[in-house]
Amino acid sequence: MPTENSVSNQSPILEVRGLKVAYGGIQAVKGIDLTLRKGELVSLIGANGAGKTTTLNTLAGVVPHNGGDILYAGQEIGKLPSHLRLRKGLALVPEGRGIFTRLTVAENLQTGAYTRRDTDGIAADMEKVFALLPRVKERLNQVAGTLSGGEQQMVAIGRALLSRPQVLLLDEPSMGLAPLVVEKIFEVIHSITREGMGVLLVEQNANLALEVSERAYVMEGGRVTLEGTGKALLDDPKVRSAYLGEDIEELAAA
Amino acid sequence: METFLQQTLNGLVSGSIYALVALGYTMVYGILGLINFAHGDLLMVGALVALQTVTLLNAAVPGLHPVILLLAGVAVAVPVCMAVGYLIERIGYRRLRNAPRLAPLITAIGVSFLLQTLAMIIWGREFHVFPQLVSTTPMEPMAGVVVSPLQIFTIVVAFALMGGLMLLVNKSRLGRAMRATAENHRVAGLMGINANGVIAATFIIGSGLAALAGVLFASNYAIAHYAMGFTPGLKAFTAAVLGGIGNLPGAMVGGLVLGLVESFGAGYIEHLTFGFLNSSYQDIFAFVILGAVLIFRPSGLLGERVADRA
Ligand SMILES: Nc1ncnc2c1ncn2[C@@H]1O[C@H](COP(=O)(O)OP(=O)(O)OP(=O)(O)O)[C@@H](O)[C@H]1O
Ligand SMILES: [Mg+2]
């Protein structure tokens, strides 16, 4: 896997053009453009109901779109069902984790490797996941529904990694987790991008997301209203007031 | 004591057949939340196709060993039932997956009528004698219990199939995919699992079990008929509800318990009703149990596994 850091001049692994998604008559995503390169960590932030989850679900093939293109490695994948998108290398850790509560932790991880036949490769990747998430290894035979929220999130991420994706879509991996666990999960995300995986991260914790991301998009009412490098957006007064919980007056006073 | 053992044996024979059919109901319910009321009729299709095969083969090559005839019957009946089960899902239920629950239920009843009518057209309305391919001649009584090779064969085959199914579901890759899909179709898709394929596989496996149950049932009662699937189908459904619908071990336990209750009930019903009812009323027990379970313990003995779909 490539480990180069200069990702900006590569052609994108995921390219979204004019994506539109509607639920019944309600247009939840109103034509957005996104790009993601290999080894890049890009975040998608925005208020509740902005359309972030809808966007990720559409990219993964869980929700159909009604306009625009989704190009994966240059190929249109917008019509493929979700299981075929995963086979191409596009994995989603859905909002709310979606672990199989009645399966054991080990079985959850095995479903992550469902499409693979390389027993040795799977075993090696299991070890990698255990190294990243030692807690998962301790709980292998536990029924996943009895795990704590943080442990479930780790299983969900580990499970997605076992499919060996090129692109990982993460929907609020920090939701409901203690700060130390969040930090741990962000470390994991960081280390997987170093292996060449592209990560598109949706986060409520905008501060943290922007700090670690190379680039970011801000969504509002189904549109991308701002984009830029993580640092630029961190310094943007509009972002600071809307998503980082700072008062405009406070900023003006500073 | 002898009566007790004898009734236990009889109950295990019919109970293990109910269990095989109940597994099909419960697997489909577990993965789709659908009661496939046509499932009982697959037992009929299995029995009649096996009978047809045996008859044709016996006419073409007289003097074949009964075991060969039986194997040939099974070898044709199982794939035919699997194909029928697959087509029922593919043509009947798949497009109704997101429809209101009543729609697939009514379709299931329609499919049941369709299968019975087709069978009636092909095989007529009369009862056919199902040949005794495994001997029903009782062996030396053991501890006073009269056992025939067919009874032992039925129990052994049924238990082997149940064990095999449990291994498949709990240990194999397909089984994991089935359990994952049963819990959440959407997330299963995100793992690269083709939910449609897994659902089709579930119907195919359940239908294969129903075909074998049909051959066992017809062998034990020496009869085959276009409507023969109705009563065992309803009883197997009762067994699945009794064990907790959607729950595989539940379906097995439910089937065996129902078989035993019926058998003991038939043995003692005359005493219980002071001679008012005799053993030909044994079917009553299944429906009394169904009613009682639905009223007092709707989640069944081992607990319902509701398909919680996104
Ligand atoms: N299944 C659905 N049916 C109808 N409307 C939906 C559905 N899912 C989402 N919506 C609507 O689409 C809009 C975008 O929702 P989405 O879940 O994508 O927001 P989000 O940015 O992920 O919000 P949050 O930060 O709260 O997770 C919302 O107005 C929501 O009510
Ligand atoms: Mg969301």
Side-chain angles (χ1 to χ4, degrees):
Chain A
M1 279 193 182
T3 48
E4 62 211 288
N5 280 326
S6 60
V7 288
S8 51
N9 49 10
Q10 283 177 20
S11 64
I13 176 93
L14 184 67
E15 189 167 8
V16 177
R17 297 193 202 121
L19 185 72
K20 289 185 186 163
V21 188
Y23 295 109
I26 300 156
Q27 199 72 39
V29 174
K30 302 169 178 163
I32 62 169
D33 298 337
L34 303 168
T35 56
L36 179 70
R37 295 182 181 81
K38 284 188 177 175
E40 199 179 25
L41 174 54
V42 172
S43 55
L44 186 58
I45 60 171
N48 291 129
K52 308 180 296 293
T53 296
T54 303
T55 302
L56 290 199
N57 285 344
T58 306
L59 295 180
V62 178
V63 170
H65 60 301
N66 64 344
D69 302 311
I70 305 170
L71 299 173
Y72 177 86
Q75 265 184 313
E76 169 66 45
I77 58 162
K79 292 257 176 328
L80 292 183
S82 57
H83 70 274
L84 295 181
R85 296 192 202 190
L86 181 102
R87 280 164 196 263
K88 288 198 174 289
L90 183 77
L92 166 67
V93 177
E95 189 170 49
R97 305 170 189 128
I99 61 160
F100 299 113
T101 56
R102 300 200 294 255
L103 273 56
T104 64
V105 170
E107 288 174 330
N108 266 278
L109 295 175
Q110 284 163 339
T111 55
Y114 178 77
T115 57
R116 295 172 60 184
R117 299 286 189 170
D118 56 325
T119 325
D120 297 343
I122 295 172
D125 285 357
M126 278 285 183
E127 289 306 321
K128 267 196 203 169
V129 167
F130 296 154
L132 284 174
L133 304 163
R135 196 61 169 270
V136 169
K137 189 175 185 179
E138 293 163 22
R139 306 273 159 175
L140 278 180
N141 295 315
Q142 191 170 335
V143 174
T146 62
L147 293 175
S148 78
E151 290 164 346
Q152 291 192 4
Q153 187 61 262
M154 292 180 198
V155 170
I157 293 176
R159 185 179 65 174
L161 291 178
L162 275 165
S163 71
R164 225 181 232 191
Q166 300 283 317
V167 169
L168 182 61
L169 311 172
L170 289 171
D171 199 346
E172 300 203 31
S174 73
M175 188 158 58
L177 303 185
L180 270 179
V181 182
V182 173
E183 212 167 280
K184 173 77 201 167
I185 282 180
F186 272 72
E187 269 170 38
V188 170
I189 295 170
H190 214 89
S191 69
I192 58 187
T193 56
R194 276 200 298 273
E195 296 209 6
M197 207 178 291
V199 175
L200 183 58
L201 172 69
V202 162
E203 256 303 331
Q204 285 297 335
N205 191 336
N207 221 334
L208 193 52
L210 292 177
E211 257 169 43
V212 299
S213 303
E214 276 134 81
R215 292 185 302 112
Y217 298 90
V218 179
M219 269 188 97
E220 223 173 289
R223 287 194 168 77
V224 169
T225 50
L226 275 174
E227 63 176 284
T229 64
K231 282 191 187 56
L233 289 177
L234 264 181
D235 295 336
D236 189 304
K238 273 184 288 183
V239 174
R240 296 188 77 86
S241 70
Y243 304 109
L244 305 180
E246 287 184 20
D247 265 313
I248 302 274
E249 279 102 287
E250 219 176 280
L251 281 171
Chain B
M1 187 62 193
E2 279 161 28
T3 328
F4 178 82
L5 287 177
Q6 187 69 54
Q7 304 292 11
T8 306
L9 176 84
N10 295 348
L12 285 179
V13 172
S14 51
S16 55
I17 296 176
Y18 297 151
L20 287 182
V21 183
L23 282 169
Y25 277 108
T26 228
M27 283 197 295
V28 165
Y29 185 84
I31 210 156
L32 283 182
L34 160 74
I35 307 290
N36 176 18
F37 271 117
H39 186 65
D41 295 297
L42 285 167
L43 174 149
M44 171 274 291
V45 174
L48 282 166
V49 169
L51 174 62
Q52 185 74 63
T53 309
V54 168
T55 310
L56 289 177
L57 188 61
N58 203 28
V61 193
L64 279 176
H65 194 280
V67 172
I68 303 212
L69 289 174
L70 179 71
L71 288 177
V74 166
V76 177
V78 169
V80 166
C81 274
M82 286 178 161
V84 172
Y86 170 76
L87 289 174
I88 291 172
E89 191 277 325
R90 185 70 192 81
I91 299 170
Y93 302 143
R94 188 175 294 185
R95 65 191 74 223
L96 297 175
R97 221 168 275 163
N98 297 313
R101 288 204 158 198
L102 199 54
L105 197 64
I106 291 171
T107 306
I109 293 169
V111 171
S112 168
F113 281 129
L114 180 71
L115 289 177
Q116 290 191 25
T117 309
L118 285 177
M120 192 175 74
I121 292 168
I122 299 172
W123 288 290
R125 305 177 65 94
E126 63 272 21
F127 286 84
H128 302 274
V129 174
F130 198 92
Q132 304 295 319
L133 299 169
V134 178
S135 168
T136 50
T137 316
M139 302 184 296
E140 252 336 88
M142 288 180 290
V145 179
V146 185
V147 192
S148 75
L150 176 64
Q151 288 179 307
I152 293 182
F153 177 78
T154 302
I155 294 174
V156 168
V157 168
F159 274 77
L161 289 169
M162 289 189 254
L165 182 74
M166 290 314 282
L167 274 182
L168 175 85
V169 168
N170 290 318
K171 299 287 174 219
S172 76
R173 179 171 174 272
L174 173 62
R176 240 181 355 256
M178 287 168 72
R179 286 179 292 137
T181 307
E183 185 166 340
N184 192 330
H185 291 204
R186 195 175 58 92
V187 178
L190 290 174
M191 299 299 117
I193 296 168
N194 178 0
N196 282 335
V198 169
I199 289 166
T202 305
F203 272 83
I204 288 170
I205 294 167
S207 306
L209 292 177
L212 290 159
V215 173
L216 293 175
F217 188 85
S219 300
N220 276 282
Y221 294 88
I223 232 163
H225 178 240
Y226 78 94
M228 70 184 279
F230 181 75
T231 308
L234 212 48
K235 287 183 183 171
F237 169 67
T238 303
V241 172
L242 173 62
I245 189 134
N247 182 322
L248 262 60
M252 300 184 216
V253 170
L256 294 173
V257 168
L258 183 63
L260 290 170
V261 168
E262 262 187 11
S263 160
F264 284 109
Y268 300 112
I269 192 168
E270 286 202 61
H271 298 288
L272 290 174
T273 60
F274 305 104
F276 183 64
L277 298 174
N278 61 34
S279 62
S280 58
Y281 284 90
Q282 67 161 334
D283 289 355
I284 267 182
F285 293 102
F287 307 115
V288 169
I289 286 181
L290 180 59
V293 172
L294 289 176
I295 292 166
F296 298 110
R297 196 173 161 80
S299 63
L301 294 176
L302 303 193
E304 183 180 9
R305 292 276 172 81
V306 184
D308 30 18
R309 284 173 298 155

